[in-house]
Amino acid sequence: EAATGDFELTIMHTNDTHGNLDKVANRVSLVKQIRAEKPNNLLLDGGDVFSGTLYFNEFKGQADLEFMNMMKYDAMTFGNHEFDLGGSEDGHAALKAFVEGAEFPLVAANTDFSGDANMADLQNETYTADYNNGEIYSGIIKEVDGEEIGIFGLTTEETTSISSPGDITFSDYIAAAEEAVAAFEAEGINKIIAVTHLGFDDSTEYDNDQLLAAAVEGIDVIVGGHTHKKLSEPFFFTGNAEPTVIVQANEYNKFLGQLDLTFDEDGVITSQTGKLHEVGAEGVTADPEAAEALVKYSDKIKEVKNQSTGATAEVFLNGGRNAGGVRTAETNLGNLITDGMLAAAKKIDADTVIALQNGGGIRASINVGDITVGEVLTTMPFGNALAIMSLTGAELKTALEHSVRQFPEENGGFLHVAGLEVSFDPTQPAGSRVTEVFVKNGDVRTALDPSKTYKVATNTFTAKGGDGYEVFAKAYNDGRVSEPGNIDFQMFIDHAKSLGKVKPMLENRINPK
Ligand code: ATP
Ligand code: ZN
């Protein structure tokens, strides 16, 4: 029963859509339908629009943006993947174009863009009702039916190690949230929404939404992302004086979240119900305008997908993430990728003897048969450049310890190797597991010499310290890394083509025992 002074608000939300546009027209029709039923509404996105499909490889976020603008999103925060192209030749040009083209503001209270020449001008470190679309704010004040609502954004600090933000930095999320709440409350605003890319139940080593709700009083709603959590019902946190509702809508445009709220006159939530609408469910029709707008993108994707690389896979190339997959074990695809990287690096610097590829950078398997460009780009979507590092044997061993430290748990930093044979004992404590390392050149096998210097190929993401490889970051900062400019998927295509028919095997390159 609505009391006087009550305010009803519906929040529609998405997160981690990752370039999945095949069913975007269905999302458009759901949004239009809910807007028609619920006049007091907001539409928010918790980040990670970038990376994941050929739509992203081809259109760099602009295809997604056309539909986000069509749906009239009210605000979005940055996910870690928004920074994925920071290591590419164009730096954050795609992200800049995305922000500038957005017909909504981006909210980012703990992200500092000032170090990046392209992005710096777009950021305003303010909490304001007087905002412009296509710019970044710590927080915005949005009026809905005469009520002011504060909306601010937070991005996981882990972005520094799992993506490529470069000179863009992330500060403590709790401190930023406290500042945001204080800034809104100083304006008399008592309805506050955090749009976050922290994860619902992500490792407490960094940050997550439940820790945020518990630590900061005054946040009414957290619209989350990052852990791809399917919260079929909102999570209602009641540990503070006033409750906080946390929502997250799984991933890949599978769901549109809807949260219906009632606030009392003090801005306290007195009722909440939420659900996830399945975007691809029977009965959800495609919006005709959106479906028509999609054709120009989907036609192009079909074309790219079907182009042949000129190579054929005679066996399944395992890029899976499950047990025995690329984040825990040697796989034949990991071997093929590192072989290709080593072959390319040797052409540039004949002294290169080893190649390393992070398992987290291998994003999909490749099926038996003709290998298409589309498959390769899906497997290697980051467009990473080649890096050739000069490392001592001791440094390399430190890196290999880092690679297997979490085994048998999955770890994006798990390294696939060419030119090496590594044995480790998983029963030993992390940091002292690696038992034997041999450098292999054809049939010649020599023990790794800790004091000798080796030329080691990898991708720039890993060479700059991605996945926590501090020993590589140090070499990078010391100027011991060269970047000849070769791109990962191109090296792979060249290598596969030179083989014609590929049939990589497991070769005991990485041995737990
Ligand atoms: P989400 O994909 O939604 O962000 P998540 O944070 O768990 O979820 P993962 O899918 O685990 O992300 O991807 C993180 C992993 O991706 C990192 O551990 C790293 O190995 C890999 N990765 C990220 N960026 C790059 C890059 N530019 N090059 C190579 N690998 C990368
Ligand atoms: Zn994601």
Side-chain angles (χ1 to χ4, degrees):
E1 200 61 4
T4 15
D6 275 0
F7 172 66
E8 291 187 352
L9 178 69
T10 292
I11 298 172
M12 292 175 279
H13 58 96
T14 50
N15 56 275
D16 299 279
T17 51
H18 287 292
N20 285 268
L21 293 175
D22 285 334
K23 290 211 154 70
V24 74
N26 296 39
R27 174 159 37 123
V28 174
S29 79
L30 280 171
V31 166
K32 284 186 177 172
Q33 198 179 316
I34 295 167
R35 276 200 211 284
E37 288 164 17
K38 304 281 184 183
N40 292 356
N41 62 64
L42 291 171
L43 175 57
L44 303 171
D45 187 275
D48 272 6
V49 168
F50 277 23
S51 292
T53 69
L54 284 178
Y55 285 104
F56 182 73
N57 286 80
E58 272 307 301
F59 305 111
K60 305 282 183 280
Q62 291 299 313
D64 307 75
L65 189 60
E66 176 170 346
F67 299 100
M68 291 182 81
N69 287 340
M70 191 183 281
M71 284 179 265
K72 301 189 184 350
Y73 269 76
D74 292 290
M76 170 184 165
T77 195
F78 296 91
N80 50 298
H81 282 282
E82 265 68 73
F83 302 93
D84 279 353
L85 296 182
S88 70
E89 211 172 300
D90 300 331
H92 292 296
L95 184 57
K96 180 182 191 206
F98 182 88
V99 173
E100 285 181 332
E103 290 165 16
F104 50 87
L106 279 287
V107 286
N110 73 325
T111 305
D112 181 355
F113 292 88
S114 62
D116 185 276
N118 275 322
M119 301 291 298
D121 287 351
L122 296 173
Q123 184 171 34
N124 309 275
E125 287 182 44
T126 51
Y127 297 88
T128 177
D130 189 20
Y131 60 85
N132 299 313
N133 294 334
E135 292 183 25
I136 305 165
Y137 296 84
S138 297
I140 59 161
I141 299 165
K142 183 108 196 165
E143 208 178 289
V144 178
D145 194 27
E147 297 282 333
E148 289 187 314
I149 299 164
I151 305 171
F152 70 101
L154 296 171
T155 300
T156 178
E157 286 184 74
E158 197 184 1
T159 300
T160 308
S161 68
I162 60 172
S163 186
S164 308
D167 294 323
I168 298 165
T169 59
F170 304 87
S171 63
D172 181 69
Y173 73 121
I174 300 286
E178 277 167 351
E179 198 182 300
V181 169
F184 289 132
E185 285 179 347
E187 301 283 322
I189 292 166
N190 59 19
K191 291 177 272 299
I192 298 176
I193 302 171
V195 188
T196 71
H197 198 82
L198 304 172
F200 176 69
D201 45 11
D202 206 16
S203 161
T204 50
E205 192 191 327
Y206 286 100
D207 34 38
N208 75 40
D209 289 331
Q210 293 176 80
L211 295 174
L212 175 67
V216 182
E217 179 73 63
I219 301 174
D220 296 293
V221 180
I222 299 174
V223 172
H226 189 43
T227 37
H228 298 209
K229 184 84 178 172
K230 187 178 164 189
L231 282 176
S232 299
E233 283 174 17
F235 181 84
F236 198 50
F237 176 78
T238 55
N240 288 339
E242 292 180 16
T244 302
V245 183
I246 306 177
V247 291
Q248 194 173 145
N250 196 203
E251 62 185 6
Y252 305 157
N253 192 40
K254 289 178 189 160
F255 297 96
L256 171 73
Q258 176 179 356
L259 174 64
D260 297 314
L261 299 167
T262 309
F263 291 90
D264 71 13
E265 60 190 350
D266 299 319
V268 178
I269 291 173
T270 54
S271 84
Q272 56 89 16
T273 54
K275 61 186 157 219
L276 301 180
H277 297 272
E278 196 182 338
V279 171
E282 238 176 278
V284 179
T285 52
D287 178 78
E289 180 197 354
E292 198 190 312
L294 185 63
V295 174
K296 60 182 176 292
Y297 300 116
S298 56
D299 277 355
K300 177 73 192 169
I301 295 309
K302 272 184 217 140
E303 195 186 306
V304 175
K305 254 196 184 143
N306 296 331
Q307 266 166 27
S308 174
T309 58
T312 308
E314 299 204 314
V315 289
F316 178 74
L317 305 178
N318 181 9
R321 195 170 160 166
N322 46 350
V326 287
R327 295 183 184 214
T328 48
E330 174 186 348
T331 77
N332 64 345
L333 180 54
N335 289 348
L336 185 62
I337 290 171
T338 50
D339 285 350
M341 192 190 276
L342 185 54
K346 270 186 194 293
K347 280 184 200 150
I348 292 144
D349 184 337
D351 293 338
T352 315
V353 287
I354 294 160
L356 308 171
Q357 163 72 43
N358 64 314
I362 305 173
R363 310 296 293 193
S365 298
I366 295 177
N367 287 318
V368 173
D370 179 41
I371 303 176
T372 62
V373 174
E375 283 176 300
V376 176
L377 289 173
T378 305
T379 296
M380 283 177 275
F382 295 108
N384 269 313
L386 175 66
I388 303 177
M389 311 179 282
S390 288
L391 300 174
T392 65
E395 286 176 318
L396 186 56
K397 178 140 184 289
T398 302
L400 294 170
E401 287 285 5
H402 187 74
S403 170
V404 300
R405 76 196 186 285
Q406 288 177 337
F407 183 91
E409 263 173 62
E410 77 165 44
N411 161 26
F414 182 87
L415 293 176
H416 296 262
V417 303
L420 276 185
E421 195 180 298
V422 186
S423 299
F424 67 101
D425 179 355
T427 65
Q428 293 302 308
S432 42
R433 291 182 162 184
V434 174
T435 49
E436 280 185 315
V437 184
F438 292 99
V439 180
K440 277 194 81 176
N441 189 355
D443 290 337
V444 186
R445 187 169 170 269
T446 45
L448 185 77
D449 179 347
S451 58
K452 200 181 151 187
T453 298
Y454 297 90
K455 291 270 174 77
V456 182
T458 190
N459 62 50
T460 43
F461 172 79
T462 304
K464 288 179 184 171
D467 287 315
Y469 281 100
E470 283 167 26
V471 63
F472 296 158
K474 184 173 178 299
Y476 193 88
N477 294 327
D478 288 352
R480 285 187 278 139
V481 176
S482 64
E483 295 174 73
N486 310 43
I487 303 300
D488 52 8
F489 60 81
Q490 198 58 53
M491 290 188 284
F492 180 83
I493 289 173
D494 291 346
H495 181 61
K497 224 166 143 176
S498 76
L499 297 173
K501 293 182 172 152
V502 302
K503 196 179 179 181
M505 309 285 219
L506 297 181
E507 298 174 351
N508 301 320
R509 296 186 188 188
I510 308 164
N511 309 295
K513 53 187 173 203

